[in-house]
Amino acid sequence: LSYNEQYEQAEWVAYKLNTTFLKGNAKRGRSFYKDKLVITQSAHKDDYKYSGYDRGHLLPAADRKITKEAMKETFYMSNISPQSPGLNRKAWKYLEEQIRVKAYSYDSLYIITGPIIEKEYEKLGANQVAVPSAFYKVVLNYTNTSALCATAFIFPNKAVKNITDQYIVTIDSVEAVTGIDFFAQLPIELQHDFESKDCLLLFD
């Protein structure tokens, strides 16, 4: 992950997902922890108290059932962002569940998730945690590196019950709004091939 001190949350969290990570027996945790690896100190769980926002996981806890320690690491505050309950518990949750289903069909998925924060934003708690206006998720299937396939999503940080076409976008679209070049180490021709289209069918 890349932690943004100004906003007191990660600007992106990237991770690999396959069935190995999903078949463990680790139980979901209940406590949140400050991330001691963030030198400037991460946000505190109390920043979210009475805010009306969920402590939204960027890397879902259910994606790290492999060990108790891996599960615990998803509860570091560096992996948390203020998310509307109406998004976190509805469309966003369904998207995460669907990605886990697809992880059984593909050998390996690579996922990047993060907040989109406008110039003017609401702030939470003593640490002034920025409230995102939206969230993005990029999903890449790299089972076959000669035919990379991906899709991406942008959701407003408000109640969204269902995933419709308006929330399914290209990686190019996410890069344009975030300013992040997600796959900069790949050859530019290869990037152009899969970043400009939605070719990973998560909802077929």
Side-chain angles (χ1 to χ4, degrees):
L1 64 81
S2 173
Y3 194 80
N4 189 310
E5 171 62 24
Q6 178 183 350
Y7 301 135
E8 292 293 4
Q9 61 201 279
E11 60 181 344
W12 55 259
V13 173
Y15 64 100
K16 181 179 179 179
L17 182 66
N18 57 35
T19 55
T20 300
F21 294 104
L22 300 175
K23 290 182 177 179
N25 298 316
K27 295 182 179 180
R28 182 181 175 87
R30 294 185 178 181
S31 299
F32 292 85
Y33 310 92
K34 294 180 69 173
D35 190 338
K36 295 180 180 179
L37 291 181
V38 177
I39 299 174
T40 54
Q41 297 191 357
S42 64
H44 191 278
K45 62 181 181 180
D46 289 346
D47 290 322
Y48 290 69
K49 267 190 175 180
Y50 312 117
S51 68
Y53 291 96
D54 285 352
R55 299 181 186 97
H57 287 69
L58 296 175
L59 193 170
D63 286 5
R64 285 296 182 265
K65 291 182 177 180
I66 184 171
T67 64
K68 182 178 179 180
E69 183 62 27
M71 172 67 72
K72 178 181 176 180
E73 288 176 349
T74 69
F75 285 83
Y76 285 137
M77 291 304 298
S78 55
N79 184 49
I80 302 301
S81 184
Q83 201 162 45
S84 164
L87 174 63
N88 186 38
R89 306 174 196 181
K90 296 292 184 178
W92 193 257
K93 178 183 178 182
Y94 175 64
L95 174 59
E96 292 174 339
E97 291 172 344
Q98 188 64 21
I99 290 172
R100 284 191 285 273
V101 169
K102 287 299 181 181
Y104 286 90
S105 300
Y106 301 113
D107 178 62
S108 290
L109 296 177
Y110 188 72
I111 303 166
I112 309 171
T113 303
I116 297 172
I117 301 173
E118 304 291 345
K119 291 183 178 180
E120 300 293 330
Y121 53 85
E122 181 183 355
K123 301 174 183 178
L124 306 182
N127 286 302
Q128 301 286 280
V129 180
V131 176
S133 61
F135 287 89
Y136 67 85
K137 192 177 291 288
V138 172
V139 185
L140 172 69
N141 172 23
Y142 65 102
T143 301
N144 183 353
T145 54
S146 64
L148 294 174
C149 204
T151 192
F153 304 82
I154 293 179
F155 288 94
N157 194 15
K158 62 182 182 180
V160 178
K161 293 183 178 180
N162 301 306
I163 300 175
T164 58
D165 289 346
Q166 65 180 309
Y167 305 119
I168 303 174
V169 299
T170 63
I171 295 176
D172 282 341
S173 298
V174 180
E175 289 182 336
V177 74
T178 62
I180 301 172
D181 186 355
F182 294 111
F183 303 106
Q185 294 185 11
L186 293 178
I188 194 68
E189 298 82 5
L190 188 58
Q191 291 184 57
H192 285 163
D193 186 50
F194 71 87
E195 290 187 356
S196 61
K197 58 186 178 182
D198 167 27
C199 61
L200 180 59
L201 299 178
L202 291 177
F203 301 97
D204 53 342

